[in-house]
Amino acid sequence: MRTLQYIPMKVPLLDLHAQYAPIRDEILAALTRVADSQRFIMGPEIDAFERELEAMLGIRHAIALSSGTDALLLALMALDIGPGDEVVTPTYSFFATAGAVARLGARPVLVDIDPATFNIDPSQAVDAITPRTKAIMPVHLFGQSADLDPLIEVSVRDGIPIVEDAAQAIGATYRSRPIGGIGALGCFSFFPSKNLGAFGDAGLLTTNDDRLAANARLLRTHGMQPKYYHHVVGANFRMDALQAAVLRVKAPHLKRWTEGRRANAARYRTLFRAAGLDGVVTLPAEPADRLHIYNQFVIRTPERDGLKRHLDEQGIGNEIYYPVPFHQQPCFANLGYATGAFPHAERAAAESLAIPIYGELTEAQQEAVVSAIGAFVHRRVGAAR
Ligand SMILES: Cc1ncc(COP(=O)(O)O)c(C=O)c1O
């Protein structure tokens, strides 16, 4: 065991300035291009962005949207999901996942997670299917694909579409296939903290199905075709041209940024091991058949709340994703799940903590993070003696 030399240093959870500085001129030129064109809604930026994302993701259709939340909502609308329908989804995710189901008057049927990966437990998902199930919605949480093959098997057998909540996982793969194009529909978020982040809210819906794509495109603009003739009740789910222009500059850098995150994850593993902390603190699992893009690097410890307080005091950025699973949220009390219903999710909510992982993080910063965690652990061990 090696105790890292403790060098106090503040480390933010995310430093967007570090990513922005080298591409500032390109971004400002892109924003100026849109300003000079005065074309803010749809138009050439959106068209070009969609074609570029289709090529980058290897998916037939990419539909630019206002947010990841709207991508989920639109995916379910394109599948005509509504009152009386059920959607099977994990209880542990960002609120938008189950929120989109509930907003359409359908019922989120919640299942527990696999504690090793934080992702939906596929066998529980299969068991939760009823004649009312209209979709299965796995989440690729923190940037790692859910275990999809068991879900695909039941999807094919029973004709139940899979909607992938890929909001946190752009560029991740499952058994060498890019996520977002494996199920019927994929939903991405470009919230600024994502690996590919916009300058505000933006999202994307992906599909290889021409009919679903046409339906989603129609619903994106109030079901309108041509102007002022409405076939179905849609909404305004459009991405701003300004966001598309920013994302077009950033997208070519994504692979390199993700490699930076993956290299940082590997370095954390070395540093935690060298400090004698692996096993004391649980590091994220990385099954060999999935490429993790590390939107978050989430560690686990039963002493999470104490560790969080310690890191806050030391100025080390951290965040609890997510403190309360869906089944314990007040707004979902009507679903009738009891506390204790999903023990793995409840334990993850009590034990997990994200630490800085962004691509520009330096080795010295990572050493500061690990040594701060080591100082907490060793203090606890000392106090217990
Ligand atoms: C798993 C998950 N689903 C959906 C969303 C919603 O995306 P947005 O914030 O772009 O609406 C997010 C965003 O944080 C997310 O993490």
Side-chain angles (χ1 to χ4, degrees), residues 114-119 141-145 261-262 264-270 272-273 277-288 290-301 351-357 366 370 373:
D114 165 4
T117 62
F118 300 104
N119 278 325
L141 205 65
F142 305 141
Q144 184 177 58
S145 175
R261 286 170 179 265
R262 287 183 49 76
N264 290 345
R267 191 153 63 192
Y268 267 140
R269 291 184 197 282
T270 306
F272 273 99
R273 200 175 316 120
L277 292 171
D278 59 345
V280 184
V281 170
T282 307
L283 304 185
E286 217 185 311
R290 295 164 226 185
L291 184 90
H292 198 323
I293 58 121
Y294 287 104
N295 181 239
Q296 300 296 344
F297 189 90
V298 177
I299 62 173
R300 291 181 68 143
T301 165
E351 293 187 348
S352 62
L353 194 66
I355 58 174
I357 190 66
Q366 285 192 275
V370 176
I373 295 170

Side-chain angles (χ1 to χ4, degrees), residues 67-69 72 93-94 96-97 139 141 165 167-168 189 191 194 202 322:
S67 69
T69 301
L72 293 167
S93 176
F94 177 62
T97 311
V139 182
L141 205 65
D165 183 340
Q168 302 183 2
S189 166
F191 185 80
K194 300 296 192 272
Y322 297 91

Side-chain angles (χ1 to χ4, degrees), residues 5-6 54 58 62 79 88 130 139 154 161 168 180 182 188 190 231 254 259 272 276 329 333 335 339 355 383:
Q5 197 191 353
Y6 185 55
E54 284 160 1
L79 293 169
V88 175
T130 76
V139 182
V154 81
Q168 302 183 2
I182 299 174
F188 293 88
F190 302 119
H231 303 266
L254 178 63
E259 278 162 12
F272 273 99
Q329 294 286 358
L335 297 177
T339 288
I355 58 174

Side-chain angles (χ1 to χ4, degrees), residues 309-333:
R309 270 193 301 279
H310 173 76
L311 294 182
D312 287 344
E313 281 162 20
Q314 303 297 313
I316 304 287
N318 67 87
E319 185 75 51
I320 298 172
Y321 299 110
Y322 297 91
V324 185
F326 296 151
H327 69 283
Q328 295 178 302
Q329 294 286 358
C331 69
F332 287 141

